[in-house]
Amino acid sequence: MPARILFDRCFISELVYGPLHRGRSRITWSEALDLAESVMDRMGVFVHLTAPPPVIRQRLLARDREAASLEEVAALVTGYQRVFSTLADYTKVLTLDTTVLELPSAG
């Protein structure tokens, strides 16, 4: 069995932020799909936490007292949806809408 592997959001974020901020990503889709294959080979899953842009912007404001414009947050949400949708063609993606943050009951 292959060794365990853990990715943070860095390569996925590059696929989203790169095109929006620099017009291109430093990671090619071929490289991204190779990484996704590594996850699949280890029976892993990508976890995509999401919420509507106004909710995300409000959370950023509450946490940092500043946030990108609603338009930029919407563009980022769209970018993440596109990336995870593409990755879902190659490996498992679990998408969780975090609009309502309620913990399940213990009983």
Side-chain angles (χ1 to χ4, degrees), residues 47-67:
V47 179
H48 175 206
L49 303 176
T50 191
V55 172
I56 293 172
R57 187 169 190 279
Q58 187 57 43
R59 289 177 183 164
L60 291 169
L61 287 169
R63 184 187 72 189
D64 302 333
R65 296 196 174 125
E66 62 182 333

Side-chain angles (χ1 to χ4, degrees), residues 10-48:
C10 66
F11 90 88
I12 293 172
S13 291
E14 177 58 28
L15 292 168
V16 174
Y17 283 85
L20 288 175
H21 292 188
R22 291 186 310 281
R24 62 178 287 282
S25 174
R26 289 179 264 199
I27 296 175
T28 67
W29 272 103
S30 178
E31 293 167 331
L33 295 178
D34 285 346
L35 291 168
E37 255 185 53
S38 295
V39 172
M40 186 177 67
D41 290 346
R42 289 164 173 84
M43 297 176 63
V45 64
F46 284 92
V47 179
H48 175 206

Side-chain angles (χ1 to χ4, degrees), residues 52-58 67-77:
V55 172
I56 293 172
R57 187 169 190 279
Q58 187 57 43
S69 69
L70 185 56
E71 294 77 19
E72 184 173 351
V73 173
L76 291 168
V77 168

